[in-house]
Amino acid sequence: MNHAHWPYPILRLKPGKEALLSKQHPWMYSGALAGIPASTLVRLADASGNVLAVGTASSSNPLAVRVFRFEDAPLDAAFFKERFQQALALRKTLALDGPETGCRWIFGEGDRLPGLVVDRYSHALVLQVGTAGLETLREVWWPELLDLAKANGISVFVERSQSGRKEEGLELVNRLLKGSLAGPVTIREGAANLTVDLMKGQKTGFFLDQREHRLTVGRVSGGSRVLNAFGYTGGFSIHAGLGGASAVATLDSSAPALDQAERDWVLNGLDPAQHMRMQGDAFELMRELEPESWDRVIVDPPAFAKQRKDLDKAFKAYKDVFRLGARATSRGGLLWCFSCSQHLDRARFQEAVWTALLEAGREAQVLAHLGQPFDHPYSLNHPEGFYLKGLWLRVF
Ligand code: SAH
């Protein structure tokens, strides 16, 4: 049943579970509910029927309810318009949005719009719609997003699947929603022009969350040999090249990503003789690297822990690639270790890096704790939104 119209059906919590809402955490698991959600939009009530919050719901997802507002009020066009405007205002305040940039406009729970991700790539917007409730409400929010986007110079709209749709019983999508797309889009990031394939690239096409760290690598790579492991389309590599690196290697298992990295290297006016392609499994290829042969090493693997139960295995995988990265780093060289697994908290992440360095027989100074950029904010009430962690080290 499609219950898009207010008032949405009431869904009751088990007695005592309303205490969970007092912390304004936007997620409610099925175990806290008195029944199974019968609609994709609900008014969440305590056991006596007092409505405390409104959100989207799923009968199939263990993460059963995502709260949009902690009051008894509808998710109507005015509501979405305001949240969209608030989200974009932040990016403008921080000077991250612009006609040539790549910038995350909406980061789900972090922008109090659970399940929705929107990325801007120059004149194009890529959407990820993660819940059945947002699908039910599409006719409500889509015109608001469209208006705001058009007013900001956006003419192309693409929708990509998000992990999570399956749990909500939704089919996967990969489509052009509006406008025309001749091919990949180019964004400007600092001194670099970077190409983003909105239809075939990973996630929404690019990893905007590493922007600041790519810029840093560009600043400190002059005269250095730079290894970009898990390099995707070579964002770190191109910044290093533009920053004056003497040699750069991009390592990734994806052939299309490396093809793009090579094209972008040339697009940015860099000499192909100074770029090396390393295609294959990082766990194997990094073992073959000459020890201490790279002055700048970036290790940015995919999320190894997709679920909490994967944590032990993931810890070992992170530790192993960080060890191989440390081993490859020259004495006095710089090493960046990253994890984008939300389930691996900062303490465990640091333990993985520390163990890796010990196993490699190398000492290191911590130059900085790194995280996600300002266009990927998370809510204080939703610590799960903090996912990207990095340690920048000088290695001896
Ligand atoms: N640093 C990149 C983003 C990396 S995303 C940037 O700034 O854009 C993680 C990358 O790891 C992806 O490109 C994926 O293709 C690659 N990858 C995943 N598993 C891998 C493996 N076992 N060996 C090598 N690359 C791998």
Side-chain angles (χ1 to χ4, degrees), residues 8-332:
Y8 316 139
I10 285 185
L11 179 63
R12 287 185 198 225
L13 292 162
K14 286 179 181 161
K17 293 294 181 187
E18 65 279 359
L20 291 170
L21 286 173
S22 67
K23 290 186 179 155
Q24 301 215 333
H25 193 287
W27 289 353
M28 196 58 68
Y29 285 91
S30 53
L33 304 175
I36 294 166
S39 57
T40 56
L41 300 170
V42 295
R43 296 158 72 216
L44 201 56
D46 64 17
S48 344
N50 303 307
V51 175
L52 302 168
V54 172
T56 59
S58 163
S59 56
S60 55
N61 197 342
L63 203 178
V65 178
R66 298 188 209 208
V67 173
F68 280 62
R69 55 198 307 180
F70 292 89
E71 57 191 338
D72 191 8
L75 308 182
D76 55 14
F79 168 83
F80 279 103
K81 183 176 185 172
E82 194 193 354
R83 294 258 157 126
F84 291 161
Q85 283 175 340
Q86 283 172 349
L88 185 54
L90 174 71
R91 280 69 181 175
K92 285 187 188 285
T93 300
L94 299 169
L96 288 172
D97 183 58
E100 296 185 319
T101 58
C103 172
R104 177 151 291 188
W105 269 16
I106 296 172
F107 185 39
E109 280 77 352
D111 284 297
R112 300 184 301 149
L113 289 162
L116 184 65
V117 167
V118 178
D119 284 344
R120 176 191 198 145
Y121 296 106
S122 177
H123 62 290
L125 222 54
V126 182
L127 278 65
Q128 289 184 317
V129 181
T131 64
L134 280 171
E135 288 295 355
T136 305
L137 285 170
R138 197 182 271 258
E139 284 164 32
V140 176
W141 57 261
W142 167 243
E144 299 303 326
L145 184 62
L146 196 61
D147 279 355
L148 187 66
K150 281 184 175 165
N152 283 277
I154 306 288
S155 55
V156 178
F157 295 82
V158 170
E159 181 167 359
R160 298 290 305 268
S161 277
Q162 190 178 32
S163 52
R165 277 179 74 90
K166 269 194 197 135
E167 288 84 337
E168 296 263 328
L170 301 170
E171 81 291 359
L172 302 184
V173 283
N174 208 14
R175 58 178 169 163
L176 181 66
L177 285 173
K178 204 174 171 55
S180 65
L181 201 54
V185 164
T186 304
I187 58 165
R188 184 98 186 146
E189 188 178 82
N193 288 309
L194 303 171
T195 305
V196 183
D197 190 332
L198 308 182
M199 300 301 293
K200 294 196 220 100
Q202 297 182 28
K203 302 283 167 86
T204 65
F206 195 59
F207 294 90
L208 291 170
D209 54 4
Q210 289 285 18
R211 178 195 309 113
E212 296 301 320
H213 310 137
R214 286 188 288 262
L215 293 169
T216 303
V217 165
R219 280 199 300 277
V220 301
S221 289
S224 307
R225 292 176 53 82
V226 181
L227 171 68
N228 179 11
F230 302 92
Y232 189 47
T233 51
F236 279 105
S237 305
I238 287 149
H239 279 283
L242 291 171
S246 56
V248 178
T250 309
L251 187 159
D252 205 281
S253 55
S254 160
L258 289 174
D259 291 345
Q260 190 62 63
E262 290 182 321
R263 285 194 295 268
D264 272 8
W265 183 266
V266 175
L267 174 78
N268 282 275
L270 296 163
D271 178 1
Q274 288 176 313
H275 183 253
M276 195 194 303
R277 173 189 182 119
M278 293 186 183
Q279 189 184 330
D281 180 22
F283 291 88
E284 289 170 18
L285 292 183
M286 289 177 75
R287 267 191 183 86
E288 292 159 19
L289 296 170
E290 186 68 30
E292 301 176 28
S293 55
W294 299 90
D295 310 311
R296 308 284 178 265
V297 176
I298 302 115
V299 185
D300 183 25
F304 290 141
K306 295 237 163 53
Q307 293 172 289
R308 187 157 290 282
K309 66 175 174 52
D310 304 332
L311 257 183
D312 288 341
K313 252 192 172 158
F315 180 91
K316 186 177 175 305
Y318 281 117
K319 187 210 60 178
D320 285 347
V321 282
F322 296 156
R323 183 189 69 241
L324 295 171
R327 201 179 70 112
T329 308
S330 61
R331 304 234 165 227

